[in-house]
Amino acid sequence: NDIYIIGIDHGYGNLKTANTVTASGVKVHDIEPPFKKELLEYDGKFICIGENHKSFTADKTTDMDNYYLTLYGIAKELSLAGITEANVHLAVGLPLMWYSEQRDRFSEYMMQNENVEFIYNKRYSVHIKGVSVFPQGYCAVYDRLKDMNGVNMIADIGNGTMNLMYLNNGRPMESKSWTEKLGVYQCEKAILNKVRDNTGTGLMHEVIENFLRTGETDIAQPYAGLMVEAAKEYAVQIFQKLRDYEYNEQMMRLYVMGGGARIVEAFGEYDIDRVTFD
């Protein structure tokens, strides 16, 4: 019905749309900055997107950052379609344990302006027709539910949080879902601290991030070995936390998703036949 459905994942590490991934850092200027590669102009402000990552907050509506990121995500998707004016329905997500409490507030936050104009390389005119809010993690396995016989556990490991949920024959068990502050950022801090404690040297954020994305690094020893050691310790922490919530690999299958899935797959110890990474 001439409405574009745009899905946006407001991660603490990265903002994801169907076709783009951008670091979720937001910096607001009152005057135009010298570098304008990822610059959003809205409401008389100049907003730089993609520098570093967003700080962890338990409520995603406490500042305007996620709204700015939403406008940026809309612009990225519409620009790929060659469109500057559109009716848009937003699809967004919240961590499992915050979903019930924050769903209505997050929806109102997204709908604060039904008609909005902003500039990202071009001028966009958008009418936001509606918002759907979904529980994070569960959506990622929705197309596999028919194959999930018996009890299964899903672990969605983002930059700030890890969302856990049990499924019984493909049905979510609402009383067995949790959100833990054990995301990839905690792994990055552990690597930074281990290298600094053992060598007195600080690592650049970009060095650690590239290592976590690929599982490989070309920096010299002892730094490379210390990074691997810290990543393995983080993977051990992840599985210990799963066991705290009664995970038993003999009795259930595990589905791991999100950026943290790369770390667990590369550095964890698990039964490869009973763990699926997405």
Coordinates of all heavy atoms in Angstrom, one line a residue, residues 72-144:
Y72 N 19.0 8.3 10.2 CA 20.1 7.9 9.4 C 19.8 6.5 8.7 O 20.1 6.4 7.5 CB 21.3 7.8 10.3 CG 22.6 7.3 9.6 CD1 23.4 8.1 8.8 CD2 23.0 5.9 9.7 CE1 24.5 7.6 8.1 CE2 24.1 5.5 9.1 CZ 24.9 6.3 8.3 OH 26.0 5.8 7.6
G73 N 19.3 5.6 9.5 CA 19.0 4.2 8.9 C 17.9 4.3 7.8 O 18.0 3.7 6.8
I74 N 16.9 5.2 8.0 CA 15.9 5.4 7.0 C 16.5 5.9 5.7 O 16.3 5.5 4.6 CB 14.8 6.3 7.5 CG1 14.0 5.7 8.6 CG2 13.9 6.8 6.3 CD1 13.0 6.6 9.3
A75 N 17.4 7.0 5.9 CA 18.1 7.6 4.8 C 18.9 6.6 4.0 O 18.9 6.6 2.7 CB 18.9 8.8 5.2
K76 N 19.6 5.7 4.7 CA 20.5 4.7 4.0 C 19.7 3.8 3.2 O 20.1 3.5 2.0 CB 21.3 3.9 5.1 CG 22.3 4.8 5.9 CD 23.5 5.3 5.0 CE 24.5 4.2 4.8 NZ 25.7 4.7 4.1
E77 N 18.6 3.3 3.7 CA 17.8 2.4 2.9 C 17.0 3.1 1.8 O 17.0 2.5 0.7 CB 16.7 1.7 3.9 CG 17.3 0.6 4.8 CD 17.9 -0.5 4.0 OE1 17.3 -1.0 3.1 OE2 19.1 -0.9 4.3
L78 N 16.5 4.3 2.0 CA 15.8 5.0 0.9 C 16.8 5.4 -0.2 O 16.5 5.3 -1.4 CB 15.1 6.2 1.5 CG 13.9 5.9 2.4 CD1 13.2 7.2 2.8 CD2 12.9 4.9 1.7
S79 N 18.0 5.8 0.2 CA 19.0 6.2 -0.8 C 19.4 5.0 -1.7 O 19.6 5.2 -2.9 CB 20.2 6.8 -0.1 OG 20.9 5.8 0.6
L80 N 19.4 3.8 -1.2 CA 19.7 2.7 -2.0 C 18.6 2.4 -3.0 O 18.9 1.8 -4.0 CB 20.0 1.4 -1.1 CG 21.3 1.5 -0.3 CD1 21.3 0.3 0.7 CD2 22.5 1.4 -1.2
A81 N 17.4 2.7 -2.6 CA 16.3 2.5 -3.5 C 16.0 3.7 -4.4 O 15.1 3.7 -5.2 CB 15.0 2.3 -2.6
G82 N 16.9 4.8 -4.3 CA 16.7 5.9 -5.1 C 15.5 6.7 -4.8 O 14.9 7.3 -5.7
I83 N 15.1 6.8 -3.5 CA 13.8 7.5 -3.1 C 14.2 8.5 -2.1 O 15.0 8.3 -1.2 CB 12.9 6.5 -2.5 CG1 12.5 5.4 -3.5 CG2 11.6 7.1 -1.9 CD1 11.8 4.2 -2.9
T84 N 13.5 9.7 -2.1 CA 13.7 10.7 -1.2 C 12.5 11.1 -0.4 O 12.5 11.8 0.6 CB 14.3 12.0 -1.8 OG1 13.5 12.4 -2.9 CG2 15.7 11.7 -2.4
E85 N 11.3 10.7 -0.9 CA 10.0 10.9 -0.2 C 9.3 9.5 -0.1 O 9.2 8.8 -1.0 CB 9.2 11.8 -1.0 CG 9.7 13.2 -1.1 CD 8.7 14.2 -1.8 OE1 7.5 13.9 -1.7 OE2 9.2 15.2 -2.4
A86 N 8.9 9.3 1.2 CA 8.2 7.9 1.4 C 7.4 7.9 2.6 O 7.6 8.7 3.6 CB 9.3 6.9 1.5
N87 N 6.4 7.0 2.5 CA 5.6 6.6 3.7 C 6.4 5.4 4.3 O 6.7 4.5 3.6 CB 4.2 6.2 3.4 CG 3.4 7.4 2.9 OD1 3.4 8.5 3.4 ND2 2.7 7.1 1.8
V88 N 6.7 5.5 5.6 CA 7.5 4.4 6.2 C 6.9 3.8 7.4 O 6.3 4.5 8.3 CB 8.9 5.1 6.6 CG1 9.7 4.1 7.5 CG2 9.7 5.4 5.4
H89 N 7.0 2.5 7.5 CA 6.6 1.8 8.7 C 7.9 1.2 9.3 O 8.6 0.5 8.6 CB 5.6 0.7 8.4 CG 5.1 0.0 9.7 ND1 3.9 0.3 10.3 CD2 5.7 -1.0 10.5 CE1 3.7 -0.5 11.3 NE2 4.8 -1.2 11.5
L90 N 8.2 1.5 10.5 CA 9.5 1.1 11.2 C 9.3 -0.2 11.9 O 8.2 -0.4 12.6 CB 10.0 2.1 12.2 CG 10.5 3.5 11.6 CD1 10.7 4.5 12.7 CD2 11.7 3.2 10.8
A91 N 10.3 -1.1 11.8 CA 10.3 -2.3 12.6 C 11.6 -2.3 13.4 O 12.7 -2.2 12.9 CB 10.3 -3.6 11.7
V92 N 11.4 -2.3 14.7 CA 12.6 -2.1 15.6 C 12.6 -3.2 16.7 O 11.6 -3.9 16.9 CB 12.6 -0.7 16.3 CG1 12.8 0.4 15.2 CG2 11.3 -0.4 17.1
G93 N 13.6 -3.3 17.5 CA 13.7 -4.3 18.5 C 14.2 -3.8 19.8 O 14.8 -2.7 19.9
L94 N 13.9 -4.6 20.9 CA 14.4 -4.3 22.2 C 14.9 -5.6 22.9 O 14.4 -6.7 22.6 CB 13.2 -3.7 23.1 CG 12.8 -2.3 22.9 CD1 11.6 -2.0 23.7 CD2 13.9 -1.3 23.3
P95 N 15.9 -5.5 23.8 CA 16.3 -6.7 24.5 C 15.1 -7.4 25.2 O 14.2 -6.7 25.7 CB 17.3 -6.1 25.5 CG 17.9 -4.9 24.8 CD 16.7 -4.3 24.1
L96 N 15.2 -8.7 25.4 CA 14.1 -9.5 25.9 C 13.5 -9.0 27.2 O 12.3 -8.8 27.3 CB 14.5 -10.9 26.0 CG 14.8 -11.7 24.7 CD1 15.5 -13.0 25.0 CD2 13.6 -11.8 23.9
M97 N 14.4 -8.7 28.2 CA 13.9 -8.4 29.5 C 13.4 -6.9 29.6 O 12.7 -6.6 30.5 CB 15.0 -8.6 30.5 CG 15.3 -10.1 30.8 SD 13.8 -11.0 31.3 CE 13.4 -10.2 32.9
W98 N 13.7 -6.1 28.6 CA 13.2 -4.7 28.6 C 12.0 -4.6 27.7 O 11.3 -3.5 27.6 CB 14.3 -3.8 28.1 CG 15.5 -3.9 28.9 CD1 15.7 -4.4 30.2 CD2 16.8 -3.4 28.5 NE1 17.0 -4.4 30.6 CE2 17.7 -3.8 29.6 CE3 17.3 -2.8 27.4 CZ2 19.1 -3.5 29.6 CZ3 18.7 -2.5 27.4 CH2 19.5 -2.8 28.4
Y99 N 11.6 -5.6 26.9 CA 10.6 -5.5 25.9 C 9.3 -5.1 26.4 O 8.7 -4.1 26.0 CB 10.5 -6.9 25.1 CG 9.5 -6.9 24.1 CD1 9.6 -6.2 22.9 CD2 8.3 -7.6 24.3 CE1 8.6 -6.3 21.9 CE2 7.3 -7.6 23.4 CZ 7.4 -6.9 22.2 OH 6.4 -7.0 21.2
S100 N 8.8 -5.8 27.4 CA 7.4 -5.5 27.9 C 7.3 -4.1 28.5 O 6.4 -3.4 28.3 CB 7.0 -6.6 29.0 OG 6.9 -7.9 28.4
E101 N 8.4 -3.7 29.3 CA 8.3 -2.5 30.0 C 8.5 -1.3 29.1 O 7.9 -0.2 29.2 CB 9.4 -2.4 31.1 CG 9.5 -1.1 31.8 CD 10.7 -1.0 32.7 OE1 11.5 -2.0 32.8 OE2 11.0 0.1 33.2
Q102 N 9.4 -1.4 28.1 CA 9.8 -0.3 27.3 C 9.1 -0.2 25.9 O 9.3 0.7 25.2 CB 11.3 -0.3 27.1 CG 12.1 -0.1 28.3 CD 13.6 0.0 28.1 OE1 14.0 0.3 27.0 NE2 14.4 -0.3 29.1
R103 N 8.4 -1.3 25.5 CA 7.8 -1.4 24.1 C 7.0 -0.1 23.8 O 7.2 0.5 22.7 CB 7.0 -2.6 24.0 CG 6.2 -2.8 22.7 CD 5.4 -4.0 22.7 NE 4.5 -4.1 23.8 CZ 3.8 -5.1 24.2 NH1 4.0 -6.3 23.6 NH2 3.0 -5.1 25.3
D104 N 6.0 0.3 24.6 CA 5.2 1.4 24.3 C 6.0 2.7 24.2 O 5.8 3.5 23.4 CB 4.0 1.5 25.3 CG 3.1 0.3 25.1 OD1 3.1 -0.3 24.1 OD2 2.3 0.1 26.1
R105 N 6.9 2.9 25.2 CA 7.7 4.1 25.3 C 8.6 4.2 24.1 O 8.8 5.3 23.5 CB 8.5 4.1 26.6 CG 9.2 5.4 26.8 CD 9.6 5.5 28.3 NE 10.6 4.6 28.7 CZ 10.4 3.5 29.5 NH1 9.2 3.3 30.0 NH2 11.4 2.7 29.9
F106 N 9.2 3.1 23.6 CA 10.1 3.1 22.5 C 9.3 3.4 21.2 O 9.8 4.1 20.3 CB 10.8 1.7 22.4 CG 12.0 1.8 21.5 CD1 12.9 2.8 21.6 CD2 12.3 0.7 20.7 CE1 14.1 2.8 20.9 CE2 13.5 0.7 19.9 CZ 14.4 1.8 20.0
S107 N 8.1 2.9 21.1 CA 7.2 3.1 20.0 C 6.9 4.6 19.9 O 7.0 5.3 18.8 CB 6.0 2.3 20.0 OG 5.2 2.6 18.9
E108 N 6.5 5.2 21.0 CA 6.2 6.6 21.1 C 7.4 7.5 20.7 O 7.3 8.5 20.0 CB 5.7 7.0 22.4 CG 4.3 6.4 22.8 CD 3.9 6.6 24.2 OE1 4.7 7.3 24.9 OE2 2.9 6.1 24.6
Y109 N 8.6 7.1 21.2 CA 9.8 7.7 20.9 C 10.1 7.8 19.4 O 10.5 8.8 18.8 CB 11.0 7.0 21.6 CG 12.4 7.4 21.4 CD1 12.9 8.5 22.1 CD2 13.2 6.7 20.5 CE1 14.3 8.9 21.9 CE2 14.5 7.1 20.3 CZ 15.0 8.2 21.0 OH 16.3 8.5 20.8
M110 N 9.9 6.6 18.7 CA 10.1 6.6 17.3 C 9.0 7.4 16.5 O 9.3 7.9 15.4 CB 10.0 5.1 16.8 CG 11.1 4.2 17.3 SD 12.6 4.8 16.5 CE 13.9 4.1 17.6
M111 N 7.9 7.6 17.1 CA 6.8 8.3 16.4 C 6.7 9.7 16.9 O 5.7 10.4 16.6 CB 5.4 7.6 16.7 CG 5.2 6.3 16.0 SD 4.9 6.5 14.3 CE 3.3 7.3 14.3
Q112 N 7.7 10.3 17.5 CA 7.7 11.6 18.0 C 7.4 12.7 16.9 O 6.9 13.8 17.2 CB 8.9 12.0 18.8 CG 10.2 11.9 18.0 CD 11.4 12.2 18.9 OE1 11.8 13.3 19.2 NE2 12.0 11.1 19.4
N113 N 7.7 12.4 15.7 CA 7.4 13.3 14.6 C 6.9 12.4 13.4 O 7.6 11.6 12.8 CB 8.6 14.0 14.1 CG 9.2 15.0 15.1 OD1 8.5 15.9 15.6 ND2 10.4 14.7 15.6
E114 N 5.6 12.5 13.2 CA 5.0 11.7 12.1 C 5.5 12.2 10.7 O 5.8 11.4 9.8 CB 3.5 11.8 12.1 CG 2.8 11.0 13.2 CD 1.3 10.9 13.0 OE1 0.9 10.9 11.8 OE2 0.6 10.9 14.0
N115 N 5.7 13.5 10.6 CA 6.3 14.0 9.3 C 7.7 14.6 9.7 O 7.7 15.5 10.5 CB 5.4 15.1 8.7 CG 4.0 14.5 8.3 OD1 4.0 13.7 7.4 ND2 3.0 14.9 9.0
V116 N 8.7 14.1 9.0 CA 10.0 14.6 9.4 C 10.8 14.8 8.1 O 10.8 14.1 7.2 CB 10.7 13.5 10.3 CG1 10.8 12.2 9.7 CG2 12.1 14.0 10.7
E117 N 11.6 15.9 8.2 CA 12.5 16.2 7.0 C 13.9 16.3 7.6 O 14.1 16.9 8.7 CB 12.1 17.5 6.4 CG 10.8 17.4 5.6 CD 10.5 18.6 4.7 OE1 11.4 19.6 4.7 OE2 9.5 18.6 4.0
F118 N 14.8 15.8 6.8 CA 16.3 15.9 7.2 C 17.1 15.7 6.0 O 16.6 15.4 4.9 CB 16.6 14.7 8.2 CG 16.1 13.4 7.7 CD1 17.0 12.6 7.1 CD2 14.9 12.9 8.0 CE1 16.6 11.3 6.6 CE2 14.5 11.6 7.5 CZ 15.4 10.8 6.9
I119 N 18.4 16.0 6.1 CA 19.3 15.9 5.0 C 20.4 14.9 5.3 O 21.0 14.9 6.4 CB 20.0 17.3 4.7 CG1 18.9 18.3 4.3 CG2 21.1 17.1 3.7 CD1 19.5 19.7 4.2
Y120 N 20.6 14.0 4.4 CA 21.8 13.1 4.4 C 22.2 13.0 2.9 O 21.6 12.2 2.1 CB 21.4 11.7 4.9 CG 22.6 10.7 4.7 CD1 23.7 10.8 5.4 CD2 22.5 9.6 3.8 CE1 24.8 9.9 5.2 CE2 23.5 8.7 3.6 CZ 24.6 8.9 4.3 OH 25.7 8.0 4.1
N121 N 23.1 13.8 2.5 CA 23.6 14.0 1.1 C 22.4 14.7 0.3 O 22.7 15.6 -0.5 CB 24.0 12.7 0.5 CG 25.2 12.1 1.2 OD1 26.1 12.8 1.6 ND2 25.2 10.7 1.2
K122 N 21.2 14.2 0.5 CA 20.0 14.8 -0.2 C 19.0 15.1 0.9 O 19.1 14.6 2.0 CB 19.4 13.8 -1.2 CG 20.4 13.4 -2.3 CD 19.7 12.4 -3.3 CE 20.6 12.0 -4.4 NZ 19.9 11.0 -5.3
R123 N 18.0 15.9 0.5 CA 16.9 16.2 1.4 C 15.9 15.1 1.4 O 15.4 14.7 0.3 CB 16.3 17.5 1.1 CG 15.2 17.9 2.1 CD 14.6 19.3 1.8 NE 15.7 20.3 2.0 CZ 15.9 20.8 3.2 NH1 15.2 20.4 4.3 NH2 16.9 21.7 3.4
Y124 N 15.5 14.6 2.6 CA 14.5 13.5 2.6 C 13.2 14.1 3.3 O 13.3 14.8 4.3 CB 15.0 12.3 3.4 CG 16.1 11.6 2.7 CD1 17.4 11.9 2.8 CD2 15.7 10.5 1.9 CE1 18.4 11.3 2.0 CE2 16.7 9.8 1.2 CZ 18.0 10.2 1.2 OH 19.0 9.5 0.5
S125 N 12.1 13.6 2.8 CA 10.8 14.0 3.4 C 10.1 12.6 3.7 O 9.7 11.9 2.8 CB 10.0 14.8 2.5 OG 8.7 15.1 3.1
V126 N 9.9 12.3 5.0 CA 9.4 11.0 5.4 C 8.1 11.2 6.3 O 8.1 12.0 7.2 CB 10.5 10.2 6.2 CG1 9.9 8.9 6.7 CG2 11.7 10.0 5.2
H127 N 7.1 10.4 6.0 CA 5.9 10.3 6.8 C 6.0 8.9 7.5 O 5.8 7.9 6.9 CB 4.7 10.4 6.0 CG 3.4 10.3 6.8 ND1 3.2 11.0 7.9 CD2 2.3 9.6 6.6 CE1 2.0 10.8 8.4 NE2 1.4 9.8 7.6
I128 N 6.2 8.9 8.8 CA 6.2 7.7 9.6 C 4.8 7.2 9.9 O 4.2 7.9 10.8 CB 7.1 7.8 10.8 CG1 8.5 8.2 10.4 CG2 7.1 6.5 11.6 CD1 9.5 8.5 11.6
K129 N 4.4 6.2 9.3 CA 3.0 5.7 9.4 C 2.7 4.9 10.6 O 1.6 4.8 11.1 CB 2.6 5.0 8.2 CG 2.7 5.8 6.9 CD 1.6 6.7 6.7 CE 0.3 6.0 6.3 NZ -0.8 7.0 6.0
G130 N 3.8 4.2 11.1 CA 3.6 3.3 12.3 C 4.9 2.7 12.7 O 6.0 2.8 12.0
V131 N 4.9 2.0 13.8 CA 6.1 1.3 14.4 C 5.7 0.0 14.9 O 4.7 -0.1 15.6 CB 6.7 2.2 15.5 CG1 8.0 1.4 16.0 CG2 7.1 3.5 15.0
S132 N 6.5 -1.1 14.6 CA 6.3 -2.4 15.2 C 7.6 -2.7 16.0 O 8.7 -2.5 15.5 CB 6.1 -3.5 14.2 OG 4.9 -3.2 13.5
V133 N 7.4 -3.1 17.3 CA 8.5 -3.4 18.2 C 8.6 -4.9 18.5 O 7.6 -5.4 18.8 CB 8.4 -2.6 19.5 CG1 9.7 -2.8 20.3 CG2 8.2 -1.1 19.2
F134 N 9.7 -5.5 18.3 CA 9.9 -6.9 18.4 C 11.0 -7.3 19.5 O 11.9 -6.5 19.7 CB 10.3 -7.5 17.1 CG 9.3 -7.3 16.0 CD1 9.4 -6.3 15.1 CD2 8.2 -8.2 15.9 CE1 8.5 -6.1 14.1 CE2 7.3 -8.0 14.8 CZ 7.4 -6.9 14.0
P135 N 10.9 -8.4 20.1 CA 11.9 -8.9 21.0 C 13.1 -9.4 20.2 O 13.0 -10.2 19.3 CB 11.3 -10.1 21.7 CG 10.2 -10.6 20.8 CD 9.7 -9.4 20.0
Q136 N 14.3 -8.8 20.6 CA 15.5 -9.2 19.9 C 15.9 -10.6 20.1 O 15.6 -11.2 21.1 CB 16.7 -8.3 20.3 CG 16.5 -6.8 19.9 CD 17.6 -5.9 20.5 OE1 18.3 -6.3 21.4 NE2 17.6 -4.7 20.0
G137 N 16.6 -11.2 19.1 CA 17.0 -12.6 19.3 C 16.0 -13.5 18.7 O 16.3 -14.3 17.8
Y138 N 14.8 -13.5 19.2 CA 13.8 -14.4 18.7 C 13.5 -14.3 17.3 O 13.3 -15.3 16.5 CB 12.5 -14.2 19.5 CG 11.3 -15.0 19.1 CD1 11.3 -16.3 19.2 CD2 10.2 -14.3 18.5 CE1 10.2 -17.1 18.8 CE2 9.1 -15.0 18.1 CZ 9.1 -16.4 18.2 OH 8.0 -17.1 17.8
C139 N 13.5 -13.0 16.8 CA 13.3 -12.8 15.4 C 14.3 -13.5 14.5 O 14.0 -13.9 13.3 CB 13.3 -11.3 15.1 SG 12.1 -10.4 16.0
A140 N 15.5 -13.6 15.0 CA 16.6 -14.2 14.1 C 16.4 -15.7 13.9 O 17.0 -16.2 12.9 CB 18.0 -13.9 14.8
V141 N 15.6 -16.4 14.7 CA 15.4 -17.8 14.4 C 13.9 -18.1 14.0 O 13.5 -19.2 13.9 CB 15.7 -18.6 15.7 CG1 17.2 -18.5 16.1 CG2 14.9 -18.2 16.9
Y142 N 13.2 -17.0 13.7 CA 11.8 -17.2 13.4 C 11.5 -18.1 12.3 O 10.6 -18.9 12.3 CB 11.1 -15.8 13.1 CG 9.6 -15.9 13.0 CD1 8.9 -15.9 14.2 CD2 9.0 -15.9 11.8 CE1 7.5 -15.9 14.1 CE2 7.6 -15.9 11.7 CZ 6.9 -16.0 12.8 OH 5.5 -16.0 12.7
D143 N 12.4 -18.1 11.3 CA 12.3 -18.9 10.1 C 12.7 -20.4 10.3 O 12.6 -21.2 9.4 CB 13.0 -18.3 8.9 CG 14.5 -18.2 9.1 OD1 14.9 -18.1 10.3 OD2 15.2 -18.1 8.1
R144 N 13.2 -20.7 11.5 CA 13.7 -22.0 11.8 C 12.8 -22.7 12.9 O 13.1 -23.8 13.3 CB 15.1 -22.0 12.4 CG 16.1 -21.3 11.4 CD 17.5 -21.3 12.1 NE 18.5 -20.6 11.3 CZ 19.8 -20.5 11.6 NH1 20.2 -21.0 12.7 NH2 20.6 -19.8 10.8

